[in-house]
Amino acid sequence: MLEAMIGSGEQSVSGLQSNTPSLWLVAGLLIAHQAALTVIHYIVGPAMGFDPASAALTAAAIVLAALLIFGLVALDTRRAGRARAVLLTAPSWERRTAVTMVIGLAVAQIPLGILALQEATVWQSGAGSNLEVGRALVASLSGPAGLALLVATVIVAPMVEELLYRGYLLGALVDRGWRVTAVLVSAFLFVTLHFEPANLVASLCLGLGTGICALRTRSIVPGLFVHVASNAFGMWYATLAS
């Protein structure tokens, strides 16, 4: 089924290219990102007197970890051909790309669609025990800290996550001859970044949707738009918690 959704697409290169990132480099970037988020959010921030549950610290952790990765990627992509290898290219804006984005968004929004059909108003899982998650998120969206969290969640996080999981990880696997497996691996590892019980299925569907976009277009840009839209929908749906 996934193979049919992916379609023929642009075939992966035959043989490993010299500009393809090593899996060690990919793993290092993924670990560096997760480590930065953890250290800033749970060690540095609290040591400076910030509440780990605060919107300000959450936004700061997302942005600072992203800046670290952007800096490392800027150094790495100075190598000739590296940007193309990690899908940092503009897609061909044609009907195929538009259809791919619609497919990706539909896959990414499966959990939200199920909640809407069930008329559930609790963010993500729809379980009554998670009602406070929605309420806390809505409360945090007021004021400068709330605006910072909104920007970090809807714009900054998708940028760094698509760069890492669909650019470096999926791109490196596709250049090694993997296609459907590359989408699945990038999606499952993406789930580890959002390892809350209420968010597992939503993260997996988002990873699959954006992975399909990256594979079919050989660019992270369409998936980035899908990711931004999905996070924006999720934040909006959170405001329905009551």
Side-chain angles (χ1 to χ4, degrees), residues 7 15 31 41 47 54 96 99 151 158 177-178 189 207 229 242:
I31 292 171
H41 201 172
S54 68
R96 174 187 172 83
V99 170
V151 172
W178 300 13
L189 288 182
S242 59

Side-chain angles (χ1 to χ4, degrees), residues 78-132:
R78 294 172 62 183
R79 178 174 180 173
R82 178 74 95 206
R84 176 171 290 277
V86 298
L87 313 187
L88 281 175
T89 57
S92 176
W93 293 111
E94 54 189 12
R95 183 176 180 276
R96 174 187 172 83
T97 301
V99 170
T100 298
M101 292 175 67
V102 171
I103 293 173
L105 188 59
V107 172
Q109 292 304 302
I110 288 174
L112 198 61
I114 292 174
L115 287 185
L117 289 174
Q118 295 176 343
E119 297 184 351
T121 57
V122 181
W123 189 45
Q124 297 171 313
S125 72
S129 60
N130 291 293
L131 181 58
E132 292 305 317

Side-chain angles (χ1 to χ4, degrees), residues 61-181:
I62 293 172
V63 172
L64 293 176
L67 289 176
L68 169 64
I69 296 303
F70 292 153
L72 294 175
V73 168
L75 292 175
D76 181 58
T77 51
R78 294 172 62 183
R79 178 174 180 173
R82 178 74 95 206
R84 176 171 290 277
V86 298
L87 313 187
L88 281 175
T89 57
S92 176
W93 293 111
E94 54 189 12
R95 183 176 180 276
R96 174 187 172 83
T97 301
V99 170
T100 298
M101 292 175 67
V102 171
I103 293 173
L105 188 59
V107 172
Q109 292 304 302
I110 288 174
L112 198 61
I114 292 174
L115 287 185
L117 289 174
Q118 295 176 343
E119 297 184 351
T121 57
V122 181
W123 189 45
Q124 297 171 313
S125 72
S129 60
N130 291 293
L131 181 58
E132 292 305 317
V133 174
R135 287 176 174 165
L137 181 57
V138 173
S140 72
L141 294 180
S142 60
L147 179 60
L149 178 61
L150 188 64
V151 172
T153 302
V154 175
I155 299 177
V156 179
M159 289 175 64
V160 68
E161 290 167 9
E162 289 308 306
L163 177 60
L164 289 175
Y165 290 88
R166 259 61 70 178
Y168 272 83
L169 178 57
L170 186 143
L173 294 179
V174 167
D175 278 354
R176 286 167 168 79
W178 300 13
R179 289 178 58 78
V180 173
T181 305

